[in-house]
Amino acid sequence: MAALEAYMTPEALPGTESGRIGKLLGLKAKSPLDDIGLADHIARGLAVSAAETLSLALGRAAVVGPLIPEATLRRAKKGRKALSREMSERLYEVSRVVDAVSRLYHGDEAAISRFLNRPHKLLAGRTPMEMAQSNSAGAEAVINMLRRAESSFAV
């Protein structure tokens, strides 16, 4: 999770969610990444390196398998092709959750890991990572729960 250390010093992070997600995915942009630029990257398909960069933050087991099948990743890498839009969107959704959790816990890797991997009663006993990996609605449920926590509602 060394990639999450940047969240310990918020002033060093990009000021926008798109910029932070771009950083989590290792996206290269000539200018600061905005919502449109991020949407374009995802629509075209992310590079295999985006999955690899997110794996550095979460561990390979959280990305390869649950989000992108090993064979799919291998084929894309061997053929030097972009990931499909569906795979790119999966990476994006999990990155949104990782960004929100990392901001809330200020880059504390142990706290981030505990939160992501511990079953939560507000998620019907599922872990936030399971919800984020399941689909976009699951990722949104976790993000909404985190927003409630930021607003001082008990979660």
Side-chain angles (χ1 to χ4, degrees):
M1 281 198 190
L4 303 178
E5 290 175 0
Y7 286 85
M8 291 180 176
T9 52
E11 58 275 359
L13 284 172
T16 64
E17 181 183 40
S18 326
R20 292 187 306 271
I21 289 171
K23 189 171 181 77
L24 282 171
L25 294 171
L27 301 181
K28 307 284 189 253
K30 292 177 183 171
S31 58
L33 195 61
D34 61 10
D35 292 343
I36 304 300
L38 181 59
D40 288 345
H41 272 283
I42 293 165
R44 285 191 304 269
L46 296 172
V48 170
S49 62
E52 293 168 343
T53 303
L54 190 59
S55 291
L56 291 175
L58 298 176
R60 185 171 170 83
V63 176
V64 180
L67 294 178
I68 301 173
E70 175 89 38
T72 300
L73 195 61
R74 212 176 18 249
R75 273 192 309 275
K77 189 172 190 173
K78 185 178 178 182
R80 297 179 187 225
K81 294 183 178 179
L83 297 170
S84 70
R85 187 166 141 187
E86 177 187 0
M87 298 296 139
S88 298
E89 287 178 356
R90 287 180 183 181
L91 290 172
Y92 166 71
E93 292 298 343
V94 170
S95 296
R96 288 181 62 219
V97 170
V98 171
D99 173 58
V101 173
S102 298
R103 284 186 307 113
L104 187 65
Y105 288 105
H106 306 288
D108 181 338
E109 294 176 16
I112 293 166
S113 181
R114 267 192 316 276
F115 177 82
L116 288 173
N117 297 299
R118 186 177 288 163
H120 202 290
K121 64 182 178 182
L122 293 178
L123 299 174
R126 295 184 211 150
T127 69
M129 183 57 81
E130 288 171 328
M131 291 297 293
Q133 291 168 332
S134 67
N135 56 50
S136 59
E140 194 64 34
V142 175
I143 290 169
N144 286 337
M145 185 176 73
L146 291 167
R147 285 184 185 136
R148 289 193 300 270
E150 284 180 316
S151 300
S152 299
F153 288 95
V155 294

